[in-house]
Amino acid sequence: MESGRMIQWLNLVVCVLLLLKAEGSLVPLTLVENALSKGAVCLDGSPPAYHFDKGAGEGINNWIVHMEGGGWCKDADDCLGRKDTRLGSSNQMVEDLYFSGILGNDKDYNPDFYNWNRVKIRYCDGSSFTGDVEEVDPTNNLYFRGARIFSAVMDDLLAKGMDKAENAILSGCSAGGLTTILHCDNFKALLPSGANVKCVPDAGFFINVEDISGARFIEDYYSKVVSTHGSTKNLPSSCTSKLSPGLCFFPQYVLSHISTPIFIVNSAYDSWQIRNILAPGAADPNDSWHSCKLDLSKCSHDQLSIVQGFKKEFEKAVSVVGDSSSRGMFIDSCFDHCQTESQETWFKSDSPHLANTTIAKAVGDWFYGRGSFDQIDCNYPCNPTCQNLVSDLKDHPGI
């Protein structure tokens, strides 16, 4: 009996390992030790880090650089809460990270980018890589150096062959998606002038909208993030010359200032934004939105009406993408947050579809010029291909 159970257990392990091999890979951590001399450090002063899976064959001179997400911190106390975690210190990061979705290395699951050089830059500064404060407060020993981290890591990658890039994508999820938008032109400027360079932010189009109490919680929060991290000088000056720096942290106000081709992947019912922008805890002291924020099918009639209003505001904000052939978007109605990193939502037989197209195909066709894609989904719960998966909240902390 015991041997039978052991055989069943071993068979299960083999199946899991085969599944992992088919859909992704474990990639080791690289510390950028020489960044220390440049003051390009995490919140705790440790060196920045990334995971790098080298390309092969026809993809040897093609690069995807993917920015990790994980929210932001708005003041010293908030940042101290991250300082001794993986979102504030490379000392707390895992040695190996699983790559799948847009970073996967199997042609069957990532047909356009599987053999590219694929990089995931770890997030440990709390400002979407925009901060740069020279002074270090001896009381809390915090470093606000996100912009320096971006530069130092890019220098390291350029030295490893990215300076010969023929095709390149800057991408990222959540706060990393916002990083992708804010650094899109900076990334292109680093690469050879003849390279085909584009940006694909995922779940990074955070909108400036009133919460359920009528306040603009997220606008105030972003203003504090920008002030604490000294981000103003690293935001587009064409925006900050006209608007307050905190507003220039919102994609809807900066996208018109970006010249590099860009493709927006987002849900119009982004689960993180519903929880933290539309109905943050401060606006819902009685926690009456608790069930609705976990599952839209549990929303009351009035709550769902407000959620549908959020989608209208999102559509209005994302309209700045425009209809240029150099721009595209895949805006579905799935209650989800981040869809390019997960194999289930990036490219599988049951992945979310818009116009009979997966996210992977839409992005690949757009990048290679095989076709444009500019689609906004119908209202929830209209799309039967939505899995309405909710990403691990530890990876996407609330505010």
Short mmCIF file of all heavy atoms in Angstrom, two decimals, residues 199-233:
data_model
loop_
_atom_site.label_atom_id
_atom_site.label_comp_id
_atom_site.label_asym_id
_atom_site.label_seq_id
_atom_site.Cartn_x
_atom_site.Cartn_y
_atom_site.Cartn_z
N CYS A 199 7.22 49.23 -26.50
CA CYS A 199 6.92 49.06 -25.08
C CYS A 199 5.56 48.40 -24.90
O CYS A 199 4.60 48.75 -25.60
CB CYS A 199 6.96 50.40 -24.36
SG CYS A 199 8.56 51.23 -24.45
N VAL A 200 5.48 47.47 -23.92
CA VAL A 200 4.24 46.74 -23.67
C VAL A 200 3.94 46.75 -22.16
O VAL A 200 4.27 45.80 -21.45
CB VAL A 200 4.32 45.29 -24.19
CG1 VAL A 200 2.98 44.58 -23.99
CG2 VAL A 200 4.71 45.26 -25.66
N PRO A 201 3.34 47.82 -21.65
CA PRO A 201 2.96 47.85 -20.23
C PRO A 201 1.72 47.00 -19.97
O PRO A 201 0.76 47.04 -20.74
CB PRO A 201 2.66 49.34 -19.99
CG PRO A 201 2.25 49.86 -21.33
CD PRO A 201 3.05 49.09 -22.34
N ASP A 202 1.77 46.23 -18.90
CA ASP A 202 0.67 45.33 -18.52
C ASP A 202 0.13 45.76 -17.15
O ASP A 202 0.88 45.82 -16.18
CB ASP A 202 1.21 43.90 -18.46
CG ASP A 202 0.21 42.88 -17.95
OD1 ASP A 202 -0.99 43.19 -17.90
OD2 ASP A 202 0.64 41.76 -17.60
N ALA A 203 -1.16 46.05 -17.09
CA ALA A 203 -1.82 46.44 -15.83
C ALA A 203 -1.13 47.64 -15.19
O ALA A 203 -1.10 47.78 -13.97
CB ALA A 203 -1.86 45.27 -14.84
N GLY A 204 -0.57 48.52 -16.04
CA GLY A 204 0.12 49.70 -15.53
C GLY A 204 -0.60 51.00 -15.81
O GLY A 204 -0.10 52.07 -15.47
N PHE A 205 -1.79 50.90 -16.43
CA PHE A 205 -2.53 52.12 -16.77
C PHE A 205 -3.46 52.47 -15.61
O PHE A 205 -4.67 52.25 -15.65
CB PHE A 205 -3.32 51.93 -18.07
CG PHE A 205 -3.59 53.22 -18.78
CD1 PHE A 205 -2.78 53.66 -19.82
CD2 PHE A 205 -4.66 54.04 -18.40
CE1 PHE A 205 -3.02 54.86 -20.47
CE2 PHE A 205 -4.91 55.23 -19.04
CZ PHE A 205 -4.09 55.65 -20.08
N PHE A 206 -2.88 53.02 -14.55
CA PHE A 206 -3.63 53.43 -13.36
C PHE A 206 -4.29 54.78 -13.65
O PHE A 206 -3.64 55.70 -14.15
CB PHE A 206 -2.70 53.53 -12.16
CG PHE A 206 -2.03 52.23 -11.82
CD1 PHE A 206 -0.77 51.94 -12.33
CD2 PHE A 206 -2.65 51.28 -11.04
CE1 PHE A 206 -0.13 50.74 -12.05
CE2 PHE A 206 -2.04 50.06 -10.75
CZ PHE A 206 -0.78 49.80 -11.26
N ILE A 207 -5.58 54.89 -13.34
CA ILE A 207 -6.29 56.11 -13.72
C ILE A 207 -6.60 57.00 -12.51
O ILE A 207 -6.73 56.52 -11.38
CB ILE A 207 -7.59 55.79 -14.49
CG1 ILE A 207 -8.62 55.07 -13.60
CG2 ILE A 207 -7.28 54.96 -15.73
CD1 ILE A 207 -10.00 54.92 -14.26
N ASN A 208 -6.69 58.27 -12.79
CA ASN A 208 -7.02 59.27 -11.78
C ASN A 208 -8.53 59.44 -11.74
O ASN A 208 -9.11 60.06 -12.63
CB ASN A 208 -6.33 60.60 -12.10
CG ASN A 208 -6.52 61.63 -11.01
OD1 ASN A 208 -6.92 61.30 -9.90
ND2 ASN A 208 -6.24 62.89 -11.33
N VAL A 209 -9.17 58.88 -10.75
CA VAL A 209 -10.63 58.87 -10.67
C VAL A 209 -11.06 59.02 -9.22
O VAL A 209 -10.31 58.68 -8.30
CB VAL A 209 -11.17 57.54 -11.27
CG1 VAL A 209 -10.76 56.36 -10.43
CG2 VAL A 209 -12.67 57.58 -11.46
N GLU A 210 -12.24 59.54 -9.01
CA GLU A 210 -12.77 59.65 -7.65
C GLU A 210 -13.05 58.26 -7.08
O GLU A 210 -13.48 57.36 -7.80
CB GLU A 210 -14.07 60.45 -7.65
CG GLU A 210 -13.89 61.94 -7.89
CD GLU A 210 -15.21 62.71 -7.78
OE1 GLU A 210 -16.26 62.05 -7.59
OE2 GLU A 210 -15.18 63.94 -7.89
N ASP A 211 -12.81 58.10 -5.77
CA ASP A 211 -13.18 56.85 -5.13
C ASP A 211 -14.66 56.90 -4.72
O ASP A 211 -15.37 57.87 -5.01
CB ASP A 211 -12.27 56.54 -3.94
CG ASP A 211 -12.35 57.57 -2.81
OD1 ASP A 211 -13.44 58.13 -2.59
OD2 ASP A 211 -11.32 57.80 -2.15
N ILE A 212 -15.14 55.87 -4.07
CA ILE A 212 -16.57 55.77 -3.76
C ILE A 212 -17.04 56.83 -2.76
O ILE A 212 -18.23 57.07 -2.63
CB ILE A 212 -16.94 54.37 -3.24
CG1 ILE A 212 -16.06 54.00 -2.02
CG2 ILE A 212 -16.80 53.34 -4.36
CD1 ILE A 212 -16.44 52.69 -1.36
N SER A 213 -16.10 57.50 -2.08
CA SER A 213 -16.47 58.56 -1.14
C SER A 213 -16.47 59.93 -1.81
O SER A 213 -16.85 60.93 -1.19
CB SER A 213 -15.50 58.57 0.05
OG SER A 213 -14.24 59.09 -0.33
N GLY A 214 -16.02 59.98 -3.06
CA GLY A 214 -15.92 61.26 -3.78
C GLY A 214 -14.56 61.90 -3.68
O GLY A 214 -14.32 62.95 -4.30
N ALA A 215 -13.63 61.30 -2.93
CA ALA A 215 -12.28 61.83 -2.80
C ALA A 215 -11.40 61.29 -3.93
O ALA A 215 -11.75 60.31 -4.60
CB ALA A 215 -11.69 61.45 -1.45
N ARG A 216 -10.25 61.93 -4.13
CA ARG A 216 -9.29 61.42 -5.10
C ARG A 216 -8.10 60.86 -4.33
O ARG A 216 -7.01 61.43 -4.29
CB ARG A 216 -8.87 62.53 -6.07
CG ARG A 216 -9.99 62.89 -7.04
CD ARG A 216 -9.52 63.81 -8.16
NE ARG A 216 -10.63 64.07 -9.09
CZ ARG A 216 -10.87 63.36 -10.18
NH1 ARG A 216 -10.08 62.35 -10.48
NH2 ARG A 216 -11.89 63.67 -10.97
N PHE A 217 -8.32 59.70 -3.74
CA PHE A 217 -7.33 59.05 -2.90
C PHE A 217 -6.04 58.79 -3.65
O PHE A 217 -4.94 59.08 -3.18
CB PHE A 217 -7.91 57.73 -2.36
CG PHE A 217 -6.93 56.88 -1.61
CD1 PHE A 217 -6.62 57.15 -0.29
CD2 PHE A 217 -6.30 55.80 -2.22
CE1 PHE A 217 -5.71 56.37 0.41
CE2 PHE A 217 -5.38 55.02 -1.55
CZ PHE A 217 -5.09 55.30 -0.22
N ILE A 218 -6.14 58.25 -4.88
CA ILE A 218 -4.94 57.87 -5.61
C ILE A 218 -4.15 59.09 -6.06
O ILE A 218 -2.91 59.06 -6.11
CB ILE A 218 -5.30 56.96 -6.82
CG1 ILE A 218 -4.04 56.37 -7.45
CG2 ILE A 218 -6.12 57.72 -7.85
CD1 ILE A 218 -3.26 55.43 -6.55
N GLU A 219 -4.81 60.20 -6.36
CA GLU A 219 -4.09 61.41 -6.75
C GLU A 219 -3.24 61.92 -5.60
O GLU A 219 -2.07 62.29 -5.79
CB GLU A 219 -5.08 62.48 -7.20
CG GLU A 219 -4.41 63.77 -7.67
CD GLU A 219 -5.41 64.82 -8.15
OE1 GLU A 219 -6.45 64.43 -8.73
OE2 GLU A 219 -5.15 66.02 -7.94
N ASP A 220 -3.80 61.92 -4.40
CA ASP A 220 -3.05 62.35 -3.22
C ASP A 220 -1.89 61.39 -2.94
O ASP A 220 -0.78 61.81 -2.61
CB ASP A 220 -3.99 62.42 -2.02
CG ASP A 220 -3.28 62.83 -0.73
OD1 ASP A 220 -2.77 63.97 -0.67
OD2 ASP A 220 -3.22 62.01 0.21
N TYR A 221 -2.15 60.10 -3.09
CA TYR A 221 -1.13 59.08 -2.83
C TYR A 221 0.06 59.25 -3.79
O TYR A 221 1.22 59.27 -3.37
CB TYR A 221 -1.74 57.69 -2.97
CG TYR A 221 -0.81 56.56 -2.60
CD1 TYR A 221 -0.76 56.09 -1.29
CD2 TYR A 221 0.03 55.99 -3.54
CE1 TYR A 221 0.11 55.06 -0.94
CE2 TYR A 221 0.90 54.96 -3.20
CZ TYR A 221 0.93 54.51 -1.90
OH TYR A 221 1.79 53.49 -1.55
N TYR A 222 -0.23 59.38 -5.08
CA TYR A 222 0.84 59.53 -6.06
C TYR A 222 1.64 60.81 -5.83
O TYR A 222 2.86 60.84 -6.02
CB TYR A 222 0.26 59.54 -7.47
CG TYR A 222 0.08 58.16 -8.09
CD1 TYR A 222 -0.43 58.01 -9.38
CD2 TYR A 222 0.43 57.00 -7.40
CE1 TYR A 222 -0.59 56.77 -9.96
CE2 TYR A 222 0.27 55.76 -7.96
CZ TYR A 222 -0.24 55.63 -9.25
OH TYR A 222 -0.39 54.39 -9.82
N SER A 223 0.97 61.86 -5.42
CA SER A 223 1.66 63.11 -5.14
C SER A 223 2.70 62.91 -4.03
O SER A 223 3.82 63.43 -4.10
CB SER A 223 0.65 64.19 -4.74
OG SER A 223 1.30 65.40 -4.43
N LYS A 224 2.34 62.13 -3.01
CA LYS A 224 3.25 61.86 -1.90
C LYS A 224 4.40 60.96 -2.34
O LYS A 224 5.55 61.14 -1.90
CB LYS A 224 2.48 61.23 -0.75
CG LYS A 224 1.53 62.21 -0.06
CD LYS A 224 0.70 61.52 1.01
CE LYS A 224 -0.24 62.52 1.69
NZ LYS A 224 -1.16 61.86 2.66
N VAL A 225 4.12 59.97 -3.20
CA VAL A 225 5.19 59.11 -3.73
C VAL A 225 6.23 59.95 -4.47
O VAL A 225 7.44 59.83 -4.22
CB VAL A 225 4.60 58.04 -4.68
CG1 VAL A 225 5.73 57.30 -5.41
CG2 VAL A 225 3.74 57.04 -3.92
N VAL A 226 5.76 60.81 -5.36
CA VAL A 226 6.66 61.64 -6.16
C VAL A 226 7.48 62.57 -5.28
O VAL A 226 8.69 62.75 -5.49
CB VAL A 226 5.84 62.44 -7.20
CG1 VAL A 226 6.69 63.52 -7.86
CG2 VAL A 226 5.27 61.50 -8.26
N SER A 227 6.85 63.16 -4.26
CA SER A 227 7.55 64.07 -3.36
C SER A 227 8.61 63.34 -2.53
O SER A 227 9.76 63.79 -2.42
CB SER A 227 6.54 64.76 -2.44
OG SER A 227 7.20 65.57 -1.49
N THR A 228 8.25 62.21 -1.95
CA THR A 228 9.17 61.45 -1.09
C THR A 228 10.39 60.97 -1.86
O THR A 228 11.52 61.04 -1.37
CB THR A 228 8.44 60.24 -0.47
OG1 THR A 228 7.42 60.71 0.41
CG2 THR A 228 9.40 59.35 0.30
N HIS A 229 10.19 60.50 -3.07
CA HIS A 229 11.27 59.89 -3.84
C HIS A 229 12.03 60.88 -4.72
O HIS A 229 13.00 60.49 -5.38
CB HIS A 229 10.72 58.75 -4.70
CG HIS A 229 10.27 57.55 -3.93
ND1 HIS A 229 11.09 56.47 -3.68
CD2 HIS A 229 9.09 57.27 -3.32
CE1 HIS A 229 10.44 55.57 -2.98
NE2 HIS A 229 9.22 56.03 -2.74
N GLY A 230 11.61 62.14 -4.73
CA GLY A 230 12.28 63.12 -5.59
C GLY A 230 12.16 62.75 -7.06
O GLY A 230 13.11 62.86 -7.84
N SER A 231 10.96 62.31 -7.45
CA SER A 231 10.75 61.75 -8.79
C SER A 231 10.58 62.79 -9.89
O SER A 231 10.71 62.47 -11.07
CB SER A 231 9.51 60.84 -8.78
OG SER A 231 9.65 59.78 -7.88
N THR A 232 10.29 64.03 -9.52
CA THR A 232 9.89 65.03 -10.52
C THR A 232 10.87 65.13 -11.68
O THR A 232 10.48 65.16 -12.85
CB THR A 232 9.74 66.41 -9.86
OG1 THR A 232 8.74 66.33 -8.84
CG2 THR A 232 9.32 67.45 -10.88
N LYS A 233 12.16 65.15 -11.38
CA LYS A 233 13.16 65.33 -12.45
C LYS A 233 13.25 64.14 -13.39
O LYS A 233 13.87 64.23 -14.46
CB LYS A 233 14.53 65.62 -11.85
CG LYS A 233 15.07 64.58 -10.91
CD LYS A 233 16.42 65.01 -10.35
CE LYS A 233 16.94 64.11 -9.23
NZ LYS A 233 16.13 64.25 -8.00
#
